[in-house]
Amino acid sequence: MGSQINIRVQGQEQHVLRLLVAGQKYNEIAQALIVSHNTIKTQVSNIYRKLGVNRRAGAIALARWLLLL
């Protein structure tokens, strides 16, 4: 019995993930994407949940490993 990784980070979350990898802070990401700071917090939380991580470093490492970027 095998397991399959199926993670969907698409659309706006993909943009947010790229900016996180670039080292931008939430406020910078919000300004770049013309949304509120709270929207970015929510999207980052969703990204972390989808990736099964709880920190930026984990999200970056896993996203690179899974070739999501």
Side-chain angles (χ1 to χ4, degrees), residues 28 36 41 68:
E28 295 169 330
S36 75
K41 284 175 57 175
L68 296 176

Side-chain angles (χ1 to χ4, degrees), residues 2-67:
S3 65
Q4 180 181 14
I5 297 174
N6 186 13
I7 298 173
R8 302 260 185 229
V9 178
Q10 299 176 339
Q12 186 79 350
E13 290 177 351
Q14 182 79 24
H15 296 297
V16 172
L17 183 56
R18 287 183 188 278
L19 294 172
L20 280 174
V21 169
Q24 292 194 6
K25 297 179 180 170
Y26 288 10
N27 285 335
E28 295 169 330
I29 297 170
Q31 288 177 349
L33 299 178
I34 312 171
V35 297
S36 75
H37 180 267
N38 286 335
T39 297
I40 297 304
K41 284 175 57 175
T42 299
Q43 290 176 337
V44 169
S45 177
N46 290 339
I47 292 167
Y48 289 180
R49 179 183 46 77
K50 287 178 180 182
L51 296 177
V53 299
N54 57 11
R55 294 187 175 199
R56 181 186 296 234
I60 292 169
L62 188 57
R64 286 185 174 150
W65 186 73
L66 295 172
L67 304 175

